[in-house]
């Protein structure tokens, strides 16, 4: 478990406990909240061209940074509730993706892949 | 920057570079992909009761772990493209949330809050 | 084509034309916007119990009605851009679903189905 | 109420009743399912350029049509559960949007608007 993620996890636990929010934090509800935050992130980009999306004005960049943070926080909270080690899961997924998308067959093609 | 996240970031960079996928990875596209992955995660929970969502069968738990990994990977990739330090952004957001939801006013109430 | 949907479609065309918004309304962008609106709808329900979600306070009910409207409007606009007859597509999908989920095999089970 | 939408609504009611699925169809669950379907729609577009998204290959066009149908079906089902007239809500939202985005101030600008 990453030390930084572990630290955020502890803070989120305390945060929820102090506010008696644990009762709202079922995995189902947290998955919905995570999805809502991901959409709030997407909202910033929906009318931009791809090229505009790479050169955000300072204020938008700050707001986007905030939305990324929200997604990470819900992700950590949900992983905590499900007892999942996020970093380990990501390492394993990367290995799986390397097998699924061999370099020579995937080069330059976006078709037929939906994951990283 | 967290060492584990930095390591995943480097692997994702190499992964995209080897496959010539960088051209697909505009922030706009990555934000859409992140949102799609978050919905795939939610899909596992949509017909479950909250209580069922806390006690997933082993196979579902494994699939959910895979979806969490996908969300984290796109999150890291998007933060990389936008030059955002995820952990730092999350730490700052937590401080902001602590101000926004003071313990005494937020206790046990889900109304009027949409963030952690 | 449903007469009501046709009427909304015409109004949306005029709306976009008058504002010179057609250039933003690529199917890709409209699909992102639709997804964002669906998440805004979900946001109203994320911390509610299922039973609370069926008995919304009057004000929430009104806001939810507004979000449903947004989803329908983007749906009609996107279908227009792709030259798809929404009602006909829905009729066909219902027939397909009836085959996919035969009554005797699907009765009372949510597992293994993700569509209506 | 539009006659076509009313007809789809009746068919969806019967569909759920026959399969004893009504118990899964709380507004909360339907809103999650709608959001998941909207993301499945978006998935088809996530790596396409805006221009590619306007000229889909025949097979993709058919799959996209199916996803649009899914969104409409859940939308009608959710509106039914909440006793909302979709077409009427959309008509009202259009009037509201016309006030919110006056032609002269909105012309050609995507900034600061997030609705149609």
């Amino acid at each position: 478990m990453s030390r930084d993620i572990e630290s955020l996890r502890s803070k989120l636990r305390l945060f929820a406990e102090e506010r008696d929010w644990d009762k709202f934090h079922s995995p189902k509800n947290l998955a919905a909240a995570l999805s809502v935050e991901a959409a709030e992130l997407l909202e910033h980009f929906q009318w931009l061209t791809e090229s505009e999306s790479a050169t955000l004005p300072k204020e938008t960049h700050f707001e986007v940074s905030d939305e990324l943070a929200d997604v990470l926080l819900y992700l950590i909270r949900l992983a905590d509730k499900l007892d999942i080690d996020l970093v380990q899961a990501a390492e394993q997924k990367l290995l799986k993706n390397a097998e699924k998308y061999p370099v020579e067959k995937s080069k330059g093609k976006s078709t037929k892949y939906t994951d990283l």
Side-chain angles (χ1 to χ4, degrees), chain A:
Chain A
M1 166 71 71
S2 158
R3 205 180 302 169
D4 300 274
I5 290 183
E6 205 173 345
S7 158
L8 286 166
R9 187 185 59 176
S10 301
K11 286 175 187 169
L12 285 168
R13 278 185 195 175
L14 185 61
F15 198 93
E17 202 179 293
E18 285 177 341
R19 281 155 190 79
D20 193 20
W21 283 0
D22 223 64
K23 61 185 173 191
F24 301 123
H25 287 185
S26 63
K28 178 185 175 117
N29 287 3
L30 290 168
L34 177 68
S35 188
V36 168
E37 292 300 335
E40 289 182 7
L41 175 64
L42 179 57
E43 191 178 357
H44 289 280
F45 296 108
Q46 63 188 350
W47 306 118
L48 302 185
T49 64
E50 289 186 55
S51 135
E52 285 167 348
S53 81
T55 54
L56 299 175
K58 202 174 172 180
E59 199 192 343
T60 311
H61 190 273
F62 183 76
E63 290 165 4
V64 162
S65 170
D66 241 37
E67 304 289 4
L68 285 174
D70 281 330
V71 175
L72 182 61
L73 291 171
Y74 276 120
L75 194 62
I76 292 172
R77 186 79 179 130
L78 177 52
D80 187 17
K81 285 291 177 182
L82 292 169
D83 208 15
I84 287 168
D85 185 320
L86 270 183
V87 171
Q88 196 186 312
E91 293 282 3
Q92 285 171 355
K93 193 66 203 289
L94 265 179
L95 293 177
K96 208 188 285 188
N97 283 346
E99 274 186 41
K100 198 172 166 190
Y101 305 107
V103 170
E104 62 277 14
K105 291 196 180 166
S106 314
K107 202 143 190 170
K109 284 183 267 179
S110 76
T111 41
K112 298 288 165 205
Y113 88 95
T114 56
D115 300 316
L116 277 177

